[in-house]
Amino acid sequence: MTKRSERYIPLVVSVGQVAIFPYYILWLKQASLTFTLFTWLFAAFSFSAALGYRVFQSRKNTVKSYVPSVYMGMGVIYITAGFIRNSFEFLPYIALLLQVSLGFLQGYHHAWHIEQKAFRLHAIHHYLIVGTIMVALSFVKILSPMTFITVFGAVLFSCGIWLTFQMKVLES
């Protein structure tokens, strides 16, 4: 991976996840119908994230990390959530599947990210950028939350494709 990709893509992903999370919570609240189901969906997310974190830590070869696939997977999940607009009886089951998948991928990404050289720098910039983005998003009233979720999913998917392409170029 080139230095520029190592430096910016993990920061884009981690900042984007925090900035998009309030919009994702709105979607999840609509999908869950009750507060009890909403909390169970977040419990599933947390347990799955812990599993993803542990799976990365237990790997012997952390150099080959599958991070481009993780980005593409998270992108597909956000795009899927962004395109689900109708309320139907299977929506809580779909939300559970998305929560478990997203939790696992985010846990895996976090475990990978803290191992990177630029993580300490990212931690500082992360809070500053998230604060700025959240203030800016508070002024945007004409776009639906689903638009933000879908666009962020496309950004994540694009980052995964970009990193896959770069890895193949470096291997050649």
Side-chain angles (χ1 to χ4, degrees):
M1 225 181 316
T2 64
K3 295 291 182 191
R4 190 169 273 176
S5 294
E6 276 181 20
R7 187 195 244 167
Y8 295 118
I9 291 179
L11 184 62
V12 167
V13 172
S14 62
V15 165
Q17 287 175 352
V18 173
I20 216 66
F21 207 63
Y23 298 107
Y24 183 76
I25 288 173
L26 290 174
W27 173 83
L28 190 62
K29 188 168 179 341
Q30 291 173 347
S32 61
L33 305 174
T34 67
F35 181 72
T36 303
L37 183 56
F38 181 75
T39 57
W40 278 84
L41 289 172
F42 262 101
F45 174 89
S46 296
F47 294 138
S48 183
L51 178 64
Y53 194 96
R54 182 69 185 125
V55 165
F56 179 83
Q57 285 186 326
S58 66
R59 299 191 70 228
K60 303 245 188 281
N61 182 7
T62 57
V63 174
K64 185 168 176 70
S65 59
Y66 304 105
V67 169
S69 299
V70 168
Y71 292 164
M72 287 188 276
M74 286 191 292
V76 167
I77 290 167
Y78 282 119
I79 290 169
T80 301
F83 279 119
I84 295 176
R85 300 202 192 276
N86 297 335
S87 181
F88 50 93
E89 62 190 43
F90 297 113
L91 188 56
Y93 300 106
I94 293 170
L96 177 62
L97 179 66
L98 294 178
Q99 280 291 91
V100 168
S101 302
L102 187 62
F104 181 84
L105 294 172
Q106 283 188 359
Y108 190 93
H109 174 261
H110 185 70
W112 170 83
H113 192 198
I114 63 172
E115 298 287 326
Q116 304 307 303
K117 291 183 261 181
F119 179 72
R120 289 185 184 184
L121 180 65
H122 285 176
I124 295 166
H125 290 119
H126 179 269
Y127 295 113
L128 298 172
I129 295 170
V130 166
T132 304
I133 288 173
M134 294 310 288
V135 168
L137 288 176
S138 72
F139 291 109
V140 178
K141 305 252 188 256
I142 57 173
L143 297 175
S144 95
M146 299 308 112
T147 304
F148 291 119
I149 291 171
T150 306
V151 168
F152 180 63
V155 167
L156 283 175
F157 194 79
S158 300
C159 288
I161 289 173
W162 175 258
L163 288 177
T164 301
F165 175 73
Q166 283 195 332
M167 286 179 164
K168 288 183 180 185
V169 167
L170 290 175
E171 288 175 0
S172 300

